[in-house]
Amino acid sequence: MKKWIIPVVIIVLVVFSGYSWVKGFYNNAIQLNETVSESWGNVQTAYQRRSDLIGNLVNTVQGAADYERETLTSVIEARAKATSINIDPTNITPEQLAKFNEVQGGLSGALKSLLVTVERYPDLKANQNFLKLQDELTSTENQILTARTRYNEAIKPFNNHIKTFPNNLLAGFFDFDGKPYFDAEAGAENAPDVKFDFGNKE
């Protein structure tokens, strides 16, 4: 056996091992990133459903509560802000996600104010369309929570994959950055101060 064969075999094995590692890292990162993108799409779908329902809810309330223009305007403006933010899940940054979270939280607050205001209108509370929309909104809020949770769950394996050594050496080369998690909306740690006065109807 010729002496030069051994170094060649070693070089071939090293090159093949390196290629396999790089290929495995890249393909796995792409698959995990696609899972994150799919999860983000589900988050956006849930928020879009809420936005559509709010439009119908505002129209229903508008017809029955003519004097609540300020509350309705707040909801409409908050909805416009929430729908104006578009995020590319492949390049999402903590700042973008924080802004998205902020405007969605603003819409949630405006919507809560509207629903509390509705308590002053017995006819509206008995309106079947309104009750159906209210039920659908409750269901959609649960869908949003589930979608956000699954998004965070999809991010964890991606971040672990690109941040652990030695994969982090390749992550920078292929321009893979860690993705931010959804945090709770500001003030979510505080119990809402909601008062229903069913006995006093002026």
Side-chain angles (χ1 to χ4, degrees), residues 3 30 62 68 74 94 97 102 126 141 166:
K3 293 181 180 180
I30 291 295
Q62 211 162 19
E68 300 299 340
S74 296
L97 192 59
E102 180 186 341
E141 291 296 335

Side-chain angles (χ1 to χ4, degrees), residues 86-106:
N86 296 311
I87 296 178
D88 177 4
T90 60
N91 296 311
I92 193 169
T93 65
E95 295 77 20
Q96 288 175 325
L97 192 59
K99 183 64 178 174
F100 181 86
N101 217 19
E102 180 186 341
V103 296
Q104 293 295 344

Side-chain angles (χ1 to χ4, degrees), residues 11 33 50 89 95 107 117 154 159 193:
I11 291 171
N33 198 33
R50 180 175 75 165
E95 295 77 20
L107 179 54
T117 301
N159 284 350
D193 183 19

Side-chain angles (χ1 to χ4, degrees), residues 124-141:
L124 185 53
K125 286 193 297 182
N127 182 303
Q128 290 303 311
N129 285 339
F130 176 79
L131 293 174
K132 181 181 177 185
L133 286 167
Q134 200 171 22
D135 287 343
E136 288 186 24
L137 273 171
T138 300
S139 172
T140 301
E141 291 296 335

Side-chain angles (χ1 to χ4, degrees), residues 145-197:
L145 177 61
T146 300
R148 284 168 55 123
T149 301
R150 287 180 179 165
Y151 173 75
N152 281 349
E153 289 172 351
I155 284 177
K156 185 177 180 180
F158 175 81
N159 284 350
N160 285 342
H161 180 66
I162 67 166
K163 290 183 177 180
T164 52
F165 182 83
N167 288 354
N168 60 337
L169 302 176
L170 289 176
F173 179 78
F174 287 114
D175 203 25
F176 287 121
D177 292 321
K179 298 183 186 296
Y181 290 93
F182 255 117
D183 290 326
E185 293 174 0
E189 70 279 5
N190 301 320
D193 183 19
V194 178
K195 297 177 182 176
F196 297 109
D197 189 358

